Amino acid sequence: MTKRLDDLLGRLAAEPIDRSLDRLQADIWRGVARRRAEARTAAMLAPVALASVGLALAMGVVVGGVTAVAKVAAPHGSSAFSVAADLAPSTLLEGGR
């Protein structure tokens, strides 16, 4: 295995360079600086994202709770022949009123 690897590296060293490496270090440092700036921006926006998630969760709990209470408090038609019976085909098809 090492003999084959040595042969491959030898052939690679013998080939001409396909691109200039003059600006390689500058390109690397530019990429590092860009990633650091992105990380700083993400860290600065983290409280906003957390607050947004918290607000959405609170709104969901409040609206869900109010809807659940309204549904429980609403009168139910328990007669088999009532128009608003929960399992009547007209109620299921029209979605109730």
Side-chain angles (χ1 to χ4, degrees):
M1 176 75 179
T2 57
K3 175 71 172 140
R4 173 130 171 87
L5 184 59
D6 288 339
D7 291 340
L8 289 173
L9 288 174
R11 280 195 305 174
L12 183 61
E15 291 184 13
I17 297 175
D18 61 345
R19 66 185 66 123
S20 174
L21 301 178
D22 295 338
R23 302 286 305 155
L24 180 64
Q25 186 174 4
D27 290 343
I28 289 172
W29 284 114
R30 191 175 18 257
V32 168
R34 182 176 31 93
R35 288 183 188 229
R36 284 182 180 166
E38 289 171 359
R40 273 193 306 270
T41 303
M44 288 173 40
L45 292 178
V48 174
L50 186 61
S52 299
V53 170
L55 181 62
L57 179 65
M59 287 175 56
V61 168
V62 168
V63 170
V66 169
T67 304
V69 168
K71 184 69 174 172
V72 170
H76 290 75
S78 59
S79 171
F81 299 107
S82 68
V83 175
D86 288 340
L87 297 177
S90 60
T91 305
L92 294 175
L93 292 175
E94 294 177 6
R97 291 184 191 150

